[in-house]
Amino acid sequence: MQNDLFLKNVRPMGGPTADVFIRDGRIDRIGPDLAPAPSEVETIDGQNQLLIPGLVDGHMHLDKTFLGLPWVPHEAGPAILEKIETDKRVQRTMNLSVEDQVGKLIRLAISKGSTHIRSHVDIDPEIGLSRLEAVAAARETFTGAISIQLVAFPQSGVMRCPGTAALLEEALRAGADVIGGIDPAGIDQDAVGQLEAIFGIAERHGVGLDIHLHDPGELGAHQIGLIAERTRRHGLAGKVAISHAYCLGTMDDVQIGRAANLLAENGISIMTTGAAHSPVPPVQRLHDAGVQVFSGSDGVRDAWTPFGNADQLERAMLVAQRFNFRTDEGLRLAFHVATHGCAQALGLSDYGLDVGCAGDMVLLDGENVAEAVVTRPPRRLVVKGGRVVARDGTALV
Ligand SMILES: [Zn+2]
């Protein structure tokens, strides 16, 4: 009974001591002083530690990481196009096994308590679907240990790389779950062209969209309007995310109010890493206006950034620091962004620590969620669907 587990003496979300019985991978019972599980079910004493739902990495690039290799000095210049070209050149030169590299990063994410990942995977006419196929193969290897959504990501653009739109559509048959996009104006110089192409594919296949939008200021704001209009027209409310959306970080009070309403009305989520190097969407303001805000690692040790460790408690801390969240309320909001915010943006309907939810959870040292965000203690136990997948900071898969 690999998917049955009895966790006794834990404190869900830092509240009073309780027990949790996971049966067939789902939370069957949770509460104080539960009757012991049948003797054949593994029982673990949580020793009154803090229990939180599995962490969710809402935005990764699994296919790009250099994790586990000798140090690779960072080369890329500041502009997005330079970074794209550097990434492609370095990947070509290094000629790594994508599947092996992906496996290293997935194992690291599991050890840090992630039970779900959304990963963008590069697709362009030069590499075709080769990287998507490698990531899909790695996902297969880790079935049951972590859930992974794949975004078919046109890193080099759609309209400026003829053939990409057809590849994106093909990617859905090869294992992608979501259609990506990138700076329709800044990269493609054809905002309407790219958006018509990707929204058309999403509607035909009944999938969601997650669009990288780095374009700043008015240019970015204009594209948020175009995305909202198409989300409404294609009936995709709740299935569209905009990643980064730096333009939301430089708006004045009136502009951000309007943009937040537009996003909330159309069910468009906003992903932020809480980046220190650029303007970022105002998390509290958006959250208060009813916009789903979620977080993720973005690159982990790749040609785009030498940083990253796949730890979503650390991500919550970086978001909190970026916005100067110091009160428990603020720290809880940062935690929400890295957990339930991600779950909603990714459409995970059975997420949380309630009866009937998936048995995905993390046990760790800490009095409450606020302290966990600040101290980021080692993950004592990571459980996925009732199965222990990491212990004391080490993945068991
Ligand atoms: Zn990204």
Side-chain angles (χ1 to χ4, degrees), residues 76-88:
I80 296 282
L81 269 174
E82 280 176 87
K83 288 195 167 74
I84 292 172
E85 291 311 318
T86 307
D87 183 17
K88 285 169 84 163

Side-chain angles (χ1 to χ4, degrees), residues 146-159:
I146 189 163
S147 310
I148 302 176
Q149 277 184 7
L150 300 180
V151 183
F153 177 45
Q155 171 78 84
S156 301
V158 178
M159 311 311 282

Side-chain angles (χ1 to χ4, degrees), residues 59 61 212 244 298:
H59 187 122
H61 290 270
H212 280 66
H244 303 304
D298 205 6

Side-chain angles (χ1 to χ4, degrees), residues 60-67 87 91 96-103 105-106 117-124 127-136 138 148 150-155 212 298-304:
M60 280 191 126
H61 290 270
L62 286 172
D63 59 317
K64 293 183 192 283
T65 189
F66 302 147
L67 203 67
D87 183 17
Q91 293 286 358
L96 302 167
S97 157
V98 175
E99 197 177 334
D100 288 354
Q101 288 304 111
V102 171
L105 186 45
I106 291 175
I117 290 173
R118 169 179 281 185
S119 178
H120 298 249
V121 184
D122 282 14
I123 282 166
D124 67 43
I127 56 170
L129 301 178
S130 58
R131 292 169 80 156
L132 179 76
E133 285 159 0
V135 180
I148 302 176
L150 300 180
V151 183
F153 177 45
Q155 171 78 84
H212 280 66
D298 205 6
V300 176
R301 305 282 306 275
D302 58 24
W304 287 70

Side-chain angles (χ1 to χ4, degrees), residues 162-178:
T164 301
L167 281 169
L168 291 177
E169 196 142 12
E170 226 179 284
L172 291 170
R173 288 183 277 271
D177 309 286
V178 175

